Amino acid sequence: MLAYLDIDAMQKRVYGHQKQGARFGHTKIAGKSLLVRGLNALAAVVSTPLSAPVIAATRLRGGNAASARGAASFAAGAITTARAAGCTGLIVVRMDSAYYAAKVIAAIRRAGALFSVTVPMDSKVKAAIAAIPEDTWTPIRYPRAIWDDQLRAWISDAQVAEAEYTAFASKKGQAVTARLIVRRVRDLNKQAAAGQDELFPVFRYHAVFTDSPFELLQTEGQHRDHAIVEQVFADVTDGPLAHLPSGSFAANAAWLTCAAIACNLLRAAGALASLAYARARGATVRRDLINVAARTARSGRGHLTLHLPEGWHREHEWLTLLAACGPPAPAA
């Protein structure tokens, strides 16, 4: 089965007393790049087209650490973990432009996975995009796309095309030749500012470097789904990683690991409870299945009874989860 491994870093803001490793680093809030004092949490998230994401690996770093620092070894270890977890088919490692580095891509290939990484728009990439023939651009079904019954096609401001591209050619023995997938969207602001009409549209370009074997539209759509890692970060921040409690860097690194374990256990509990909870947000699963309005009673030594509320609307899902976990182990 096809699996995706998304690697990204999150700047975790810290408050209160001084914490080891806390530095000012770049983060994005509401689409704006800001400097935030905190620690840098690197995470690898595994998902498939049919399953919700889980965290395969974490690493805590100083707040001013570059995103690509240690990413090569981290990616190799995360791929090994994904294989051990049952991802026996193709694994596509998706990353943003911060991880566009020869060492990172080489490590992914050595581990037997595919890569899909956003490319910075430097002069070489711009030249490769400019060389793409105009008649090879294909419209894609974008949020504002309109279906034309006569043309039997989607009319959209977004279009995609591809070309062969060689990256890292200046580095001896590290050149990689693969596909350059380019998406372009009309930049209406620049077009209006330049006083241009529909005959001379102005575009914004977004390039992806990948060795994925899938067809053009599918490959481009798969890379856009890299945004799923932000949903995982939001779930973890809203739950076990709401704060880093210790002033010690090592203790906070252990806390990050425990937060990832708690996130994965919560995701597993949701998948066992019902199909709807398998895809629900972590906050929903905690509210409906973990924070149970029940009364505990003890009889004898070590025997604990949980009295659930009568007529509870989540009774079926909770009992399904309990049955899937199996009977309790006998007392020693």
Side-chain angles (χ1 to χ4, degrees), residues 144 157-158 184-188 191 198 201-204:
R144 291 182 293 177
D157 286 342
R184 70 180 187 181
V185 181
R186 291 197 180 190
D187 194 332
L188 300 179
Q191 184 171 320
E198 290 296 319
V202 179
F203 293 97
R204 291 185 289 110

Side-chain angles (χ1 to χ4, degrees), residues 292-313:
V292 181
R295 179 174 58 86
T296 57
R298 182 185 298 275
S299 59
R301 292 188 176 182
H303 186 73
L304 193 66
T305 302
L306 187 66
H307 295 274
L308 297 174
E310 185 177 355
W312 183 34
H313 65 292

Side-chain angles (χ1 to χ4, degrees), residues 1-5 46-49 79 82-83 86-94 108 111-115 211-215 218-219 222:
M1 177 183 287
L2 173 65
Y4 303 110
L5 184 65
V46 179
S47 62
T48 73
I79 294 170
R83 295 286 187 200
C87 299
T88 57
L90 290 176
I91 295 179
V92 180
V93 183
R94 303 183 295 198
I108 293 171
L114 308 175
F115 66 87
D211 60 351
S212 171
F214 301 100
E215 58 96 19
Q218 187 177 6
T219 301
Q222 288 174 346

Side-chain angles (χ1 to χ4, degrees), residues 263-286:
C263 180
N264 292 345
L265 290 175
L266 186 69
R267 182 57 58 200
L272 292 174
S274 72
L275 183 61
Y277 283 115
R279 305 290 296 183
R281 288 178 55 87
T284 302
V285 180
R286 286 192 296 271

Side-chain angles (χ1 to χ4, degrees), residues 7-325:
I7 297 177
D8 207 348
M10 172 184 61
Q11 190 75 10
K12 179 58 185 171
R13 182 179 301 194
V14 297
Y15 300 94
H17 59 279
Q18 179 70 28
K19 297 184 187 296
Q20 292 180 356
R23 300 289 187 276
F24 281 97
H26 288 277
T27 188
K28 279 192 175 182
I29 299 177
K32 297 181 179 180
S33 183
L34 302 173
L35 277 175
V36 173
R37 181 178 175 275
L39 294 168
N40 194 307
L42 186 62
V45 175
V46 179
S47 62
T48 73
L50 301 176
S51 64
V54 294
I55 301 175
T58 59
R59 181 179 294 177
L60 190 65
R61 306 177 303 175
N64 57 349
S67 294
R69 193 182 78 185
S73 60
F74 183 78
I79 294 170
T80 301
T81 301
R83 295 286 187 200
C87 299
T88 57
L90 290 176
I91 295 179
V92 180
V93 183
R94 303 183 295 198
M95 303 166 289
D96 61 26
S97 59
Y99 304 94
Y100 180 72
K103 290 183 178 180
V104 177
I105 291 179
I108 293 171
R109 285 189 147 186
R110 283 195 303 269
L114 308 175
F115 66 87
S116 181
V117 56
T118 303
V119 181
M121 297 299 293
D122 57 22
S123 58
K124 186 179 177 182
V125 173
K126 291 180 180 178
I129 295 175
I132 298 177
E134 188 64 29
D135 59 354
T136 61
W137 292 94
T138 303
I140 62 175
R141 184 178 177 180
Y142 223 47
R144 291 182 293 177
I146 300 174
W147 176 257
D148 191 309
D149 289 327
Q150 294 181 346
L151 298 177
R152 305 295 300 174
W154 288 100
I155 307 301
S156 172
D157 286 342
Q159 300 171 324
V160 292
E162 71 171 291
E164 188 178 84
Y165 182 74
T166 300
F168 318 117
S170 61
K171 299 182 179 181
K172 186 177 180 180
Q174 299 186 50
V176 178
T177 300
R179 305 165 67 189
L180 186 70
I181 308 293
V182 184
R183 182 178 83 251
R184 70 180 187 181
V185 181
R186 291 197 180 190
D187 194 332
L188 300 179
N189 291 330
K190 289 185 178 179
Q191 184 171 320
Q196 308 209 24
D197 55 19
E198 290 296 319
L199 295 177
F200 304 99
V202 179
F203 293 97
R204 291 185 289 110
Y205 295 91
H206 182 275
V208 176
F209 189 53
T210 179
D211 60 351
S212 171
F214 301 100
E215 58 96 19
L216 174 62
L217 295 180
Q218 187 177 6
T219 301
E220 195 277 333
Q222 288 174 346
H223 185 80
R224 274 190 282 134
D225 288 340
H226 171 65
I228 196 173
V229 70
E230 300 297 338
Q231 298 177 10
V232 175
F233 283 156
D235 265 354
V236 176
T237 303
D238 188 41
L241 204 63
H243 68 289
L244 293 169
S246 177
S248 166
F249 184 87
N252 284 329
W255 185 271
L256 175 63
T257 301
C258 292
I261 294 173
C263 180
N264 292 345
L265 290 175
L266 186 69
R267 182 57 58 200
L272 292 174
S274 72
L275 183 61
Y277 283 115
R279 305 290 296 183
R281 288 178 55 87
T284 302
V285 180
R286 286 192 296 271
R287 181 194 65 203
D288 293 347
L289 300 180
I290 306 301
N291 300 330
V292 181
R295 179 174 58 86
T296 57
R298 182 185 298 275
S299 59
R301 292 188 176 182
H303 186 73
L304 193 66
T305 302
L306 187 66
H307 295 274
L308 297 174
E310 185 177 355
W312 183 34
H313 65 292
R314 299 301 178 192
E315 176 182 355
H316 176 73
E317 290 85 354
W318 200 91
L319 292 178
T320 302
L321 170 61
L322 183 64
C325 293

